Amino acid sequence: MKGKNSIIYIKKRLDEEAKKRNNADEVSVDKLDPILVAHRYKDPTISLICALFAYGNVKQIVKFLDSLDFSLLQKSDDEIKEALKNHYYRFQKSEDVIALFIALKRLNETTTLEEVFVDAYNTNSNVIDGINALIEMLISLYPHSTQGYNFLTSKVTTKTKGAGALKRWMMFLRWMVREDNIDMGLWSDVSKKDLIMPLDTHTFNVSKKLGLLQRKTYDLQAAIELTETLRGFDKEDPLKYDFALYRIGQEKII
């Protein structure tokens, strides 16, 4: 699909899908999504845990998240280690799950996720700077490096081409910054126009099919380029199309 008329049609279709998908029924037991667990608590730290473990089969993701006792985030290191010694998920062993809980617990004892993020983000209104600051903070608070843990938290990103798309971090930010019937809007000092698409294989493939994305490489640069295209549809809120694109791909509508 090429040309002005097709772009107008695609925008119209996406606007319709975004409006249709913006209802609480889109996140339910019948339509599982990790945000379902995050919604129960409406807490940034718990939401981040839900987002970082959001890879793989959605039923298994939700099952694992349901098995976690989030009150451990207020407990001692020893209590966390004891309670989570048998918890693991795909690439993450129990030591990795424990490391994340202890790092987040320590962070919340002196500051907040939002404060760390916003302090770095404010310099250039760049969400990647904010994510890097959070990753660096987690590493400094509880130094732990394994293949599984590094995959879970991601590494500091200094380039966009060839870099991981930071999909789970970008999804967490969407939950925190946007506010509608899906996203929680728990943070007020980040502009939704600065968000970057949480690019997964569904949105990547659907976006290429629709002509919204020309880049062939699945990386952070592709996420940025797709976001730029969607800013042409809504410059103040490009990520309002994210859930619609995701469901279109997941449900094989296109």
Side-chain angles (χ1 to χ4, degrees):
M1 284 191 245
K2 293 181 179 179
K4 186 176 180 182
N5 290 337
S6 63
I7 289 294
I8 291 171
Y9 168 78
I10 291 167
K11 181 184 185 305
K12 183 173 180 289
R13 179 70 189 276
L14 285 179
D15 281 330
E16 290 170 353
E17 284 291 331
K19 186 176 180 181
K20 182 174 82 174
R21 303 289 179 173
N22 183 23
N23 71 79
D25 292 338
E26 281 294 313
V27 178
S28 63
V29 175
D30 295 324
K31 290 189 174 184
L32 286 178
D33 190 277
I35 200 175
L36 184 68
V37 180
H39 264 289
R40 290 184 208 145
Y41 302 93
K42 290 186 169 54
D43 173 88
T45 304
I46 295 172
S47 294
L48 179 58
I49 293 171
C50 291
L52 293 182
F53 281 106
Y55 72 95
N57 179 278
V58 69
K59 288 184 180 178
Q60 293 304 313
I61 296 167
V62 173
K63 182 180 179 182
F64 173 74
L65 295 175
D66 280 339
S67 76
L68 296 173
D69 176 5
F70 294 112
S71 71
L72 290 169
L73 292 163
Q74 283 81 46
K75 302 290 177 65
S76 69
D77 291 7
D78 288 341
E79 287 174 293
I80 291 171
K81 289 175 183 176
E82 177 62 27
L84 295 175
K85 64 182 180 182
N86 295 318
H87 279 69
Y88 60 89
Y89 177 74
R90 297 196 73 195
F91 305 149
Q92 286 76 48
K93 297 178 181 178
S94 60
E95 64 190 78
D96 302 320
V97 182
I98 288 166
L100 181 63
F101 267 71
I102 292 178
L104 287 170
K105 186 260 304 202
R106 289 179 178 176
L107 185 151
N108 285 332
E109 286 173 346
T110 57
T111 182
T112 66
L113 289 170
E114 184 178 14
E115 192 172 321
V116 175
F117 179 90
V118 169
D119 189 50
Y121 155 82
N122 273 341
T123 303
N124 296 303
S125 297
N126 189 329
V127 297
I128 298 171
D129 292 342
I131 292 169
N132 284 340
L134 285 174
I135 293 171
E136 288 174 338
M137 178 67 80
L138 293 177
I139 292 169
S140 69
L141 289 170
Y142 192 82
H144 178 75
S145 181
T146 65
Q147 190 173 354
Y149 190 69
N150 294 340
F151 173 85
L152 183 68
T153 60
S154 300
K155 293 182 179 179
V156 168
T157 299
T158 56
K159 61 178 183 176
T160 58
K161 293 181 179 178
L166 295 171
K167 180 256 178 178
R168 290 166 289 132
W169 279 101
M170 298 305 180
M171 183 175 69
F172 165 70
L173 293 180
R174 197 199 83 205
W175 295 356
M176 292 300 97
V177 176
R178 296 190 71 257
E179 184 173 12
D180 58 13
N181 291 321
I182 304 291
D183 298 324
M184 295 175 281
L186 301 179
W187 290 1
S188 58
D189 292 330
V190 181
S191 175
K192 58 188 178 184
K193 68 181 175 62
D194 294 327
L195 297 176
I196 296 172
M197 279 289 288
L199 194 67
D200 65 6
T201 53
H202 288 305
T203 51
F204 180 66
N205 291 328
V206 168
S207 298
K208 285 197 299 178
K209 200 169 184 179
L210 292 173
L212 299 172
L213 179 63
Q214 304 304 317
R215 188 169 177 79
K216 294 179 172 62
T217 306
Y218 173 65
D219 58 6
L220 183 54
Q221 184 62 31
I224 292 169
E225 289 181 14
L226 175 57
T227 307
E228 281 302 314
T229 300
L230 295 174
R231 281 198 184 103
F233 294 171
D234 189 329
K235 66 179 181 179
E236 296 300 322
D237 188 15
L239 264 60
K240 79 178 187 185
Y241 300 107
D242 176 37
F243 207 71
L245 282 169
Y246 171 73
R247 287 296 197 214
I248 286 171
Q250 185 185 50
E251 296 171 10
K252 296 179 172 61
I253 294 172
I254 294 175

